[in-house]
Amino acid sequence: STPRKLLLNLRVMAFEDNILRVHPRWADGFVIWGAGRDGKDFFKSLSPGIRARVQCFADVDEKKITAGFYANPDLGAKIPIVHFSLL
């Protein structure tokens, strides 16, 4: 079987190349749905230039929303986590 992280990296590369780098709509930024494992892994898999466009994580989990941010010191990132209804 193919490792989950390898599949994620391939999907993220394709998403960047076919959507985020091509369509001007996404030049000013975008939101990642879900501040859990998959959302964070998606964020970490983005290339640095695309990662800088992430405006926030949207979620429904009050615990994550109350935390306020996803911080990753290794990437120098501190991304807000908001309830999806605020978008």
Side-chain angles (χ1 to χ4, degrees):
S1 80
T2 307
R4 182 181 68 84
K5 294 264 180 149
L6 174 60
L7 288 174
L8 174 65
N9 288 332
L10 293 172
R11 288 178 181 141
V12 168
M13 279 186 358
F15 188 64
E16 285 185 5
D17 292 344
N18 296 303
I19 305 293
L20 297 175
R21 293 185 197 281
V22 177
H23 297 285
R25 175 180 185 162
W26 308 114
D28 293 332
F30 62 98
V31 173
I32 296 174
W33 175 266
R37 180 195 73 185
D38 293 341
K40 290 175 185 173
D41 283 349
F42 178 81
F43 176 77
K44 291 185 278 188
S45 295
L46 292 168
S47 62
I50 300 291
R51 194 182 307 130
R53 297 186 202 173
V54 175
Q55 296 176 341
C56 66
F57 286 94
D59 211 301
V60 295
D61 184 335
E62 287 301 324
K63 185 176 178 182
K64 293 174 189 160
I65 295 165
T66 301
F69 291 91
Y70 163 65
N72 186 316
D74 293 336
L75 299 176
K78 186 176 180 183
I79 309 296
I81 302 170
V82 301
H83 193 270
F84 78 95
S85 66
L86 298 177
L87 300 177

